[in-house]
Amino acid sequence: MTPSNRLVLGVALAAAIAGAAASVYWSNTSRPGESPTHPPAPALQIGQPMPALVLHDLAGNAVDLRTRFQGRPLLINAWASWCAPCVEEMPALQALAQSQGERGVQVLGLALDTPDAVRAFLERVPVNYPIVLETPSANDASVRLGNSRGVLPYSVLIGADGRILKQKLGPFRADELSEWIER
């Protein structure tokens, strides 16, 4: 082995060790919104009650999801302004929200994003259903609602009794949303 090959091999080995050390460090470091002494909450399954979630709307007001949306089914859609599939399905969610009336399924957007990014997005793509904000983390509201893989968009249907009826990873097709809430 030539000296230059040994040097390249040594640098590659040092980089691999540094990468492994960084991975261990970051996997054991808490993220914004997480408590280092509390492990992530277990993801909920179908049939379990919705957890107590108090999030903030764009005006900064606290919204207790169980209290605010009780008594009617609730479709919670976790999304972000940078998520192309999330953006594509928003017109269908808007149409659903408008079609449900006073007794139908309520729609709630759960933005895993910054307030400024959400405001800028909603100026371009307005929706009239409520939006709440959450900081993405290993224990954010979407994870606590069953999104164990952290994939966006993620939707969960909560029954009028407050129990999880359905969960969906990924976007809805244009023709799928109405069928999904009716089944």
Side-chain angles (χ1 to χ4, degrees):
M1 184 179 286
T2 67
S4 64
N5 285 348
R6 277 192 290 253
L7 178 62
V8 169
L9 183 60
V11 168
L13 183 59
I17 291 170
S23 174
V24 169
Y25 171 79
W26 287 110
S27 67
N28 291 319
T29 302
S30 64
R31 290 159 183 83
E34 291 181 347
S35 169
T37 59
H38 294 80
L44 293 180
Q45 302 297 318
I46 292 175
Q48 291 182 303
M50 180 173 81
L53 294 171
V54 178
L55 302 172
H56 291 88
D57 63 18
L58 283 167
N61 300 313
V63 179
D64 181 331
L65 300 191
R66 286 200 294 199
T67 302
R68 165 73 170 76
F69 298 100
Q70 71 182 354
R72 288 176 42 204
L74 173 64
L75 173 64
I76 301 174
N77 176 257
W79 64 283
S81 63
W82 46 263
C83 168
C86 301
V87 173
E88 289 176 24
E89 75 178 357
M90 287 190 94
L93 292 164
Q94 172 64 23
L96 175 70
Q98 287 182 316
S99 72
Q100 291 301 299
E102 294 294 317
R103 297 187 183 176
V105 174
Q106 302 168 93
V107 177
L108 175 69
L110 169 57
L112 298 173
D113 213 326
T114 66
D116 290 340
V118 172
R119 281 186 196 95
F121 174 80
L122 292 174
E123 286 179 18
R124 294 187 316 272
V125 183
V127 297
N128 67 0
Y129 55 84
I131 303 287
V132 292
L133 301 166
E134 174 74 304
T135 302
S137 72
N139 198 24
D140 66 37
S142 79
V143 172
R144 293 180 12 223
L145 288 166
N147 187 7
S148 60
R149 293 179 45 201
V151 174
L152 293 179
Y154 172 74
S155 298
V156 60
L157 183 62
I158 311 292
D161 65 354
R163 296 193 176 277
I164 294 180
L165 298 176
K166 294 182 180 184
Q167 299 163 308
K168 178 170 176 51
L169 284 172
F172 288 103
R173 293 183 322 271
D175 61 341
E176 178 182 22
L177 188 54
S178 294
E179 288 179 24
W180 193 74
I181 64 164
E182 290 174 9
R183 278 191 236 152

